[in-house]
Amino acid sequence: MGRTFRIKVRMRRFRRSHPRIAFAIRSSMIFSATFGAAYGFITGSRAENSGYDPNAFAIGASFLFALACLGLATLSMRLRFVNKRMRKLAVHNEALIDRNWELKEAEERARSLFESQGDLIVLRDHQSRITFANDAYCALAGEVRTALVGTRFDFDVLEQGDSARESNGTRIHDQKIATHLGARWIAWREGYVRLDAGQPAELQSVGRDVTDRTETERALSDARDQADAASRAKSRFLAMASHEIRTPLNGIMGMSGLLLDTTLTPEQTTYARAVKTSGEALMALIEELLDYSKIEAGKLDFELRPFALSTLIEEITELLAPRAQAKNLEIAAYVDERLPLEVMGDAARLRQVLLNLAGNAIKFTASGGVALIVEPGIWPNEISFLVRDTGIGIAPEAQSRIFREFEQADERVARTYGGTGLGLAISERIVKRMGGRITLESEPGRGSTFEVAIPLAPSQGGAGQTTFPSPELAGKSILLIADGIEASLIARRLERWGGQTCMISDAAVAEALLPERSWHAVLIDRALGTAVADRLGEVARTHATQRLVLLTPSSRHEKLCPAFTGYLVKPLRAASLAARLALTPEVISPDLAPEPVEPAEAGAAPAKGLSILVAEDNEINALLMRSLLTKLGHRVVIAVHGEAALESWLAASSAGASYDLVLMDIQMPQLDGIEASKRIRAHEARTGGRRTPILALTANTLVEDRYACFEAGMDGFLIKPLDREKLDEALAGLAAARHLVL
Ligand code: ADP
């Protein structure tokens, strides 16, 4: 079968390749067959002994005819079959033509896409001859495609950038090349592509013109270098200038200190103190600027020395206690017992950060208090310092901003409290340099907690030591009659020492509780009231071995009720509390006379001249105004904010002794000068009373501010800093015209 098929195929092939020979063979075969048949028939029928029988002839002829018909029918069927196959082939052929056309179109599209690419595309064979270059490449080469294909053309390389290789073998590199359009930076991606099986792979290079980007980057980097240099120069200048300013400032402060040691009149003492206070404020500002510039210039060095944690924290608390207590705020500290006694680090820098945070906490808190809590951090050797206050809080949108230099949470608030906005920026930089972080949690109106977490390893020498022996309080009951932040920290400490602590803020409840059991110690806070504390002390006599009273530093010299066995001064040192609780009770009653009351300030000026109300929140400025006006022979009343000024003005008006003039500072806490003036004018309009001239006191010379003053009903303004002449002139004008527009 296979053999037959092969022969057939060969014959077909032969017919196709030699049609003439095939035709000749076919013709001769037909001729021989026809001739043979005719000759045989005629010869056979004419022979005498042929035995011709017409019937047999008819049978033979019809048999042959039937055979011929069968042959024709077979041929017709084959023809139909062949036609069917032909039609199928024609359809298939058409589909192939369509497909071929689509492929050609796609190839055309791909080629035009390649050619019109903005990126440079070039293909090279294994001998570096160009086999394809797109329009962009030709344009940059300044040649037509036909001139490039087949050549080894390449651009001159002016500068070779860094080169890298991707995991798939693609090489990436930048080159600065010379083109007829000038030097261009091209970022190349090069890789091998196999176009046809059996052919060597071609190198495909795709290049993007990054001249603009590279030049912008270079310009930016130059600009950054310049800015860095300028910033360093600025920091150096700031450092130098601050240093130079500090020297004479030291002289001013030292001299005013010396002056204060000499015999001075009360007036002179006040002035000398003002000089000293202003000097100190300026010094603090310069210190901050100096620190900041040092940090900026990278010149802040950090020490690594052992220091005692609790000593540092207690010192900070005690240093800030007078400031807190002057505002009737509590300040307390708690150092967790799990922490090492001594750690390695820069105590001075840490103190600076904590003083700033705790100082801010006091500054921005009007009631409640401030707590400094030191606990183990979340990482090994990390210590977390929490500075918590119950102050004004910080709005969420200001929380990250305040860590930037010269940023304050709220400008209005900042004017009330003062400050430069540098403290937190410096603190954050210091903490970062120490390898730590500073975070903030705050809610407006509810207070803030700043957390400083820094790695501080325990010092070798201090490992395992404790500063003071903890008192043996296990199983002993202690009653703490107090309220507030410090009380809760004391309770926490007593519990750590094993004491069964009961903290009560209500005196009546405490009094009822005292006889309930025998107490090892009763701690009574005199902040509840001296009489209340003394009474509780008396009641506790029979129920408690130790009866301790908690005092503030200012009240420590006052006489103590003999019922108390001892006293502790707030903010409490853990060591003092431990020592006091471990002591055998003995009555300690400091018998010191109360501090002499400071002599009253120098008397008022003679009852001539004008009666002037000065609304000024800055103490030094108020003092200056008072002195200048008094020297000019006027009578002065100072109000420390707009609210107080309004009250004073209303009181004077209703008493029939209206002021002749109001000097009104514009920026004041609670009620500013503009609002206070508006209210004064509104009151005058309602009552039809005499119009009091109001002059604004401002350091701002902007035109908008002048308009705001006039719109509020003020009659003019004086620009700060004021001198005697300016003031004299303004007041002389007032006396003459009683109408002031300066
Ligand atoms: P300064 O206090 O000198 O203005 P800081 O950098 O120390 O500068 O503080 C920046 C600002 O952050 C402050 O002006 C204040 O608005 C806000 N701030 C800082 N600490 C507190 C706090 N404890 N409570 C409320 N606001 C605070």
Side-chain angles (χ1 to χ4, degrees):
M1 180 75 181
R3 197 149 173 252
T4 329
F5 182 71
R6 270 208 300 279
I7 292 167
K8 265 186 178 177
V9 169
R10 273 195 204 137
M11 279 175 69
R12 244 183 240 153
R13 237 185 244 159
F14 179 82
R15 276 205 305 270
R16 239 181 279 137
S17 50
H18 306 286
R20 282 180 188 212
I21 299 174
F23 178 73
I25 292 172
R26 245 187 225 143
S27 307
S28 61
M29 276 171 73
I30 293 169
F31 175 76
S32 316
T34 319
F35 180 77
Y39 181 75
F41 178 71
I42 290 167
T43 318
S45 61
R46 292 190 68 177
E48 282 181 10
N49 55 348
S50 63
Y52 173 70
D53 181 359
N55 290 327
F57 177 75
I59 292 167
S62 50
F63 174 73
L64 283 174
F65 183 72
L67 214 64
C69 283
L70 187 71
L72 272 174
T74 316
L75 274 175
S76 142
M77 271 171 69
R78 255 198 93 176
L79 197 65
R80 277 187 65 192
F81 177 70
V82 167
N83 276 347
K84 206 172 158 192
R85 281 192 66 185
M86 285 286 284
R87 272 200 302 279
K88 260 192 187 169
L89 277 174
V91 171
H92 187 64
N93 207 17
E94 232 166 73
L96 278 178
I97 289 170
D98 283 354
R99 183 96 189 98
N100 197 22
W101 186 79
E102 275 172 17
L103 279 174
K104 268 201 175 151
E105 235 189 16
E107 188 193 335
E108 203 53 44
R109 264 207 309 271
R111 179 173 289 275
S112 83
L113 197 69
F114 251 128
E115 282 171 2
S116 60
Q117 275 295 305
D119 288 348
L120 315 177
I121 303 174
V122 62
L123 283 168
R124 291 173 195 275
D125 62 13
H126 62 289
Q127 290 176 325
S128 296
R129 275 195 298 260
I130 296 178
T131 56
F132 172 80
N134 75 340
D135 291 350
Y137 190 90
C138 297
L140 204 64
E143 296 282 356
V144 290
R145 187 169 298 119
T146 45
L148 287 175
V149 173
T151 66
R152 291 198 172 90
F153 171 84
D154 209 346
F155 294 103
D156 290 337
V157 178
L158 303 175
E159 211 175 315
Q160 177 67 51
D162 291 340
S163 147
R165 200 168 283 278
E166 285 183 350
S167 54
N168 60 2
T170 307
R171 179 176 169 237
I172 303 169
H173 65 113
D174 287 358
Q175 268 182 347
K176 188 178 184 183
I177 55 171
T179 72
H180 76 288
L181 300 172
R184 313 293 299 171
W185 272 99
I186 308 291
W188 291 107
R189 291 176 68 84
E190 291 177 346
Y192 283 96
V193 284
R194 192 168 289 278
L195 300 177
D196 205 353
Q199 295 286 315
E202 293 200 329
L203 178 69
Q204 176 183 284
S205 310
V206 179
R208 177 159 294 182
D209 190 334
V210 290
T211 313
D212 293 345
R213 192 192 77 198
T214 312
E215 273 165 12
T216 314
E217 274 171 12
R218 291 203 163 188
L220 270 177
S221 140
D222 288 351
R224 194 190 52 225
D225 289 349
Q226 275 174 11
D228 279 351
S231 165
R232 277 196 298 277
K234 178 203 75 185
S235 300
R236 271 201 307 280
F237 167 75
L238 205 59
M240 231 175 69
S242 312
H243 189 78
E244 291 303 314
I245 297 169
R246 260 169 18 137
T247 318
L249 198 58
N250 268 330
I252 295 172
M253 282 164 60
M255 286 302 160
S256 51
L258 287 179
L259 192 63
L260 279 168
D261 289 342
T262 60
T263 327
L264 299 173
T265 63
E267 192 183 7
Q268 286 165 339
T269 310
T270 322
Y271 295 160
R273 275 208 192 119
V275 172
K276 199 155 182 260
T277 321
S278 303
E280 279 162 1
L282 193 53
M283 186 63 113
L285 176 64
I286 286 167
E287 294 285 351
E288 280 195 342
L289 284 174
L290 195 63
D291 267 350
Y292 182 72
S293 58
K294 266 194 197 162
I295 295 174
E296 282 284 282
K299 285 200 181 140
L300 204 63
D301 298 322
F302 287 84
E303 281 187 344
L304 198 65
R305 285 198 192 169
F307 68 91
L309 267 179
S310 45
T311 314
L312 174 82
I313 300 301
E314 280 168 352
E315 274 174 12
I316 292 173
T317 324
E318 279 162 25
L319 193 71
L320 293 173
R323 214 193 289 173
Q325 281 153 1
K327 287 182 79 179
N328 263 334
L329 297 177
E330 273 195 279
I331 181 162
Y334 184 85
V335 180
D336 197 291
E337 288 83 2
R338 289 169 291 172
L339 290 172
L341 168 69
E342 269 193 1
V343 289
M344 297 294 291
D346 192 326
R349 294 286 164 208
L350 183 57
R351 178 199 304 261
Q352 183 181 357
V353 170
L354 295 177
L355 269 176
N356 178 43
L357 296 182
N360 275 349
I362 296 173
K363 185 157 85 169
F364 296 106
T365 303
S367 64
V370 175
L372 265 92
I373 299 169
V374 190
E375 294 172 335
I378 50 170
W379 302 110
N381 279 351
E382 189 182 75
I383 298 183
S384 164
F385 299 83
L386 297 163
V387 181
R388 192 165 284 164
D389 67 57
T390 53
I392 57 170
I394 302 162
E397 63 278 7
Q399 290 186 9
S400 57
R401 185 161 49 81
I402 53 168
F403 288 98
R404 295 203 290 263
E405 51 274 17
F406 305 109
E407 285 284 357
Q408 295 177 318
D410 181 333
E411 262 186 46
R412 270 176 64 90
V413 175
R415 275 203 296 274
T416 309
Y417 293 98
T420 55
L422 265 181
L424 286 179
I426 293 174
S427 301
E428 196 188 32
R429 280 173 167 76
I430 292 178
V431 171
K432 278 200 176 144
R433 288 281 307 272
M434 287 176 157
R437 61 190 186 282
I438 180 162
T439 48
L440 163 66
E441 258 180 45
S442 182
E443 213 183 306
R446 308 202 58 168
S448 316
T449 302
F450 283 86
E451 181 185 359
V452 173
I454 35 177
L456 291 170
S459 82
Q460 292 302 323
Q465 283 180 34
T466 50
T467 25
F468 52 86
S470 308
E472 233 347 288
L473 294 183
K476 293 182 178 165
S477 307
I478 298 167
L479 182 62
L480 181 59
I481 312 171
D483 192 16
I485 294 172
E486 174 135 48
S488 56
L489 292 182
I490 296 173
R492 186 164 152 184
R493 189 172 292 288
L494 292 172
E495 265 158 32
R496 281 276 162 106
W497 286 337
Q500 288 169 4
T501 314
C502 176
M503 184 176 138
I504 286 179
S505 58
D506 189 311
V509 179
E511 200 174 327
L513 200 69
L514 269 169
E516 290 294 312
R517 64 165 78 183
S518 101
W519 302 91
H520 172 68
V522 174
L523 279 76
I524 304 162
D525 192 351
R526 216 156 68 171
L528 295 172
T530 312
V532 176
D534 290 353
R535 161 139 191 85
L536 285 168
E538 284 297 345
V539 178
R541 253 184 208 271
T542 45
H543 309 292
T545 335
Q546 293 257 30
R547 299 173 296 278
L548 302 172
V549 63
L550 308 182
L551 306 172
T552 56
S554 57
S555 63
R556 67 186 292 173
H557 301 309
E558 288 170 15
K559 241 189 161 78
L560 282 187
C561 165
F564 290 113
T565 55
Y567 69 99
L568 287 161
V569 179
K570 295 197 290 185
L572 250 63
R573 282 190 169 227
S576 316
L577 181 62
R580 180 58 66 202
L581 290 174
L583 265 185
T584 342
E586 65 185 77
V587 177
I588 301 165
S589 176
D591 208 356
L592 290 161
E595 258 194 312
V597 181
E598 284 222 354
E601 232 183 70
K608 64 179 186 74
L610 302 171
S611 114
I612 302 174
L613 171 65
V614 177
E616 170 65 83
D617 63 321
N618 182 302
E619 228 177 287
I620 306 283
N621 283 347
L623 178 67
L624 192 68
M625 289 300 293
R626 183 199 287 278
S627 308
L628 286 174
L629 291 167
T630 314
K631 282 216 161 67
L632 291 170
H634 305 292
R635 299 181 303 284
V636 186
V637 171
I638 304 278
V640 290
H641 49 73
E643 195 87 46
L646 189 63
E647 270 170 26
S648 176
W649 181 86
L650 284 172
S653 304
S654 56
S658 300
Y659 290 109
D660 296 318
L661 171 68
V662 178
L663 293 177
M664 185 77 83
D665 185 20
I666 299 299
Q667 289 163 357
M668 282 186 293
Q670 295 184 34
L671 191 68
D672 67 16
I674 301 277
E675 194 51 43
S677 305
K678 278 187 189 161
R679 293 201 194 168
I680 290 177
R681 290 294 178 241
H683 188 271
E684 284 172 349
R686 268 199 312 276
T687 55
R690 187 172 69 88
R691 183 184 160 93
T692 314
I694 306 176
L695 293 185
L697 290 173
T698 177
N700 236 337
T701 50
L702 296 178
V703 181
E704 304 90 86
D705 293 319
R706 289 183 184 219
Y707 281 128
C709 292
F710 288 126
E711 266 172 25
M714 296 186 173
D715 301 284
F717 54 86
L718 294 167
I719 305 289
K720 289 198 268 188
L722 270 184
D723 62 29
R724 198 177 163 147
E725 280 77 44
K726 260 199 255 175
L727 194 62
D728 203 10
E729 215 175 281
L731 298 181
L734 171 76
R738 290 261 161 195
H739 182 76
L740 300 155
V741 179
L742 306 168

